[in-house]
Structures are given as C-alpha cells and as structure tokens.
Amino acid sequence: MTLEELEQLTATALSELSEASSLEGLEDVRVRYLGKKGKLPEIMVSLKEAPKEEKPAWGQAANRFKQSLSEAHSSRKEDLLASSTPADALDVSLPGNHGPLGANHPIRQIMHRVIEICDRMGFTVATGPDVETVFTNFDALNTPADHPSRDEQDTFYLSDGSLLRTHTSPIQIRYMQQHEPPVRIIAPGRAYRRDTPDATHSANFHQVEGLYVDRNVSMADLKSDLTFFAGEVLGKGAKVRFRPHFFPFTEPSVEVDFTCHVCKGKGCRVCKNSGWIEIAGAGMVDPAVFNAVGYDPEKVTGYAFGMGLERIAMILLEIDDIRRLYENDARFLRQFA
Ligand code: DAH
C-alpha cells in the first residue's frame, strides 16, 4: 500500500461511515476498516515496512486513519441512535397507565350487605338451582293447582316440564328436605318471571329468602329479627310495620314495610307520603309446607320471609329505574364502585 492509497482509503472510509444508514450498517463499516481482520492490520504492516525516510509521514497518516475513523464512527452512531429512538419512546418520569379496575355490581354489594348482617344474626347461607321442579317451586309451597303464578303467562317453563324458579322460596323446601330442624338460613339468588320490563319490573331479578324453624318460633321473633335487620340496613331507629296479606306458604302472612329511609317516616315523595316502604313478604310457615318436607307441624313452628334485592338497591342507592341495573353502562355503575 502506498501513502496515496492510504489517504484515498481514509477518505472512502470516512464517507462510508457518514453515509451508514443503520446501526448494523455502521458496524459493518467499522469492522471492515478498524476490525482485527480489516484494513488496519494491513496498514500497520505497510507502516512497518515503509522506508526509513517515509516513516514519519506513514505514522501520521496511519494515526489519522485510526483517529478520524473512530471519531466519525462514534458521531454517526450518536446520530443514528438519536433518530432511531424517538425522544418520547421511553420517558420514565411519565405516570404509568392504569387499566380500569372492576368493582362489585350494586346488586352484589347489597347481597353481600344482607348476607353479612344475617350472618351476624345467626343465619347460614343456603343455595339452590335456578332450574326448579314444579314440586319444589309450587306444590311443596302449598300453591294451589289453579294459582295464577303457575300460569305460563307468568312462569318460564322448560320443555321437560321443569321451570326457572319464580322465587327463592324453593330453596326452603330443598333445605328442609335435607336437614332436620332447627333451621336458620337465608337463601340469596336469582328469580325469573315473565314480566314485561318496565321501571320496576324485570324478567330476571334477585331475592333473599329467610327461614327460621325451631320449637316455639313465633311472629314476635319474626318482627324483632326484621326490626334488627331494618336497623342494620337503614340505620338505627328504623321501624318495621306488618300489614296482613296472603301467601300460600305462610299463615298468617304479612307484607313488611320499613321506615322510609329518605324522610325517616315523616312522609315524602319516595314513600308517597306514607312514611313507609314495602320491603318484604313474610309469615309463619304453613303446616302444609312442613308436611311436604316431612317436618312435624305439631312439634316445630317457623317464620319465613322473602325480599327483592333490586328493590333494596333502588331504595338505598336512589336508582329510579330497575333497567339501569342490567344495562351495564359503566358510567352508571361506576357511581357505586
Ligand atoms: N316468595 C314470595 C315472592 O316471591 C316472597 C315471600 C313471601 C317469601 C312470604 C316468603 C314469605 O318466604 O314467607 O314474592
């Protein structure tokens, strides 16, 4: 290699370095000129073999080769790094992105609340299937064969003659069939009716059933337990009022009103000026129900109640339309998260 050739080589290498368009391409050029198997060793050999008088010039030229190439290499590398990593690719000072967090649906929240209160009152939780038999949903609950609730207009029947339970009361039957008294259970779950949806009706809703069977259970137990329950749900001082009613599975039967939580009983728009809000159906278990499950009505008595969870949710959370609970509009549900 002559000195001129070395100068020429330096110029070519510098322009190749400055034109490298990627980090990989740049590295190729570096290896070809400065690497162990590249041009540099060749240059060192030529330097060594150069005649004495040319040595200083060769030395300078070789140094320039090494130095200018490695400077050009690092400056090009910086440029390439800067343009291949946009300034905003990773900014560790930015706050992280939090994904949306889920929360319990209002119905679930109320259900848990009811379960928690009843748990403290000594009730255990029982469950049953959504698909029920005519026997457990109606017959064993002393519902007459011609009762309107059995009608296809009101009940979803399946092709095999079973049905979607119209209330959580069949869980009472299943539980008593499998357990000897005393019994103290609540049974939360879904219920189904062929209702046309409107602001207060839905074909699918939730209930909590209560059942207490023992020796000498009386209406006074029902009233005092529901009064305690009302106080826990609505706040101390809430009262309970019984109005005579009829259910096939209880005798006597009552509808249960709680003090209106909005006006505390004074009368307002929510309670239609009565001071009371209807919350549950209840009564003393009819002896016919005990006979159906093999309990001796001469030995035990019991109370039962059933209440709608949507109704409690709507009252406590001030929701004006039951359908909002099923639309799953996150903007609505988030308010109760
Ligand atoms: N099963 C009734 C309903 O669906 C509610 C009910 C009323 C349940 C009185 C009871 C009860 O256990 O004693 O409307």
Side-chain angles (χ1 to χ4, degrees), residues 166-167 169 172 193 207 209-210 247 249-250 281-283 304-307:
T166 58
H167 46 185
S169 305
Q172 290 185 25
R193 283 179 206 172
Q207 292 187 326
E209 190 79 12
F247 294 106
F249 29 88
T250 43
F305 61 83
M307 51 191 145

Side-chain angles (χ1 to χ4, degrees), residues 109-121 208 225-240 258-262 264 277 279-280 305 307-309 311-317:
Q109 292 177 28
I110 300 292
M111 190 186 274
H112 284 164
R113 180 100 182 271
V114 169
I115 291 174
E116 183 270 322
I117 294 167
C118 292
D119 176 59
R120 281 190 277 122
M121 295 170 69
V208 173
D225 282 358
L226 285 178
T227 302
F228 178 84
F229 179 83
E232 293 300 297
V233 174
L234 302 176
K236 293 279 173 253
K239 290 202 188 85
V240 159
F258 287 8
T259 312
C260 174
H261 71 296
V262 175
K264 310 282 176 226
I277 298 222
I279 293 286
F305 61 83
M307 51 191 145
L309 284 177
R311 198 169 157 69
I312 302 178
M314 288 171 74
I315 290 168
L316 290 182
L317 305 174

Side-chain angles (χ1 to χ4, degrees), residues 141 166-170 172 191 193 205 207-211 222 245-255 280-285 303-308:
L141 286 161
T166 58
H167 46 185
T168 45
S169 305
Q172 290 185 25
R193 283 179 206 172
F205 53 99
Q207 292 187 326
V208 173
E209 190 79 12
L211 176 69
L222 175 61
H245 199 72
F246 174 81
F247 294 106
F249 29 88
T250 43
E251 180 59 34
S253 301
V254 291
E255 277 191 322
M284 300 307 294
V285 179
Y303 72 60
F305 61 83
M307 51 191 145

Side-chain angles (χ1 to χ4, degrees), residues 205-226:
F205 53 99
H206 298 75
Q207 292 187 326
V208 173
E209 190 79 12
L211 176 69
Y212 175 36
V213 181
D214 203 344
R215 289 175 194 280
N216 301 319
V217 176
S218 75
M219 202 87 169
D221 296 311
L222 175 61
K223 196 160 188 183
S224 74
D225 282 358
L226 285 178

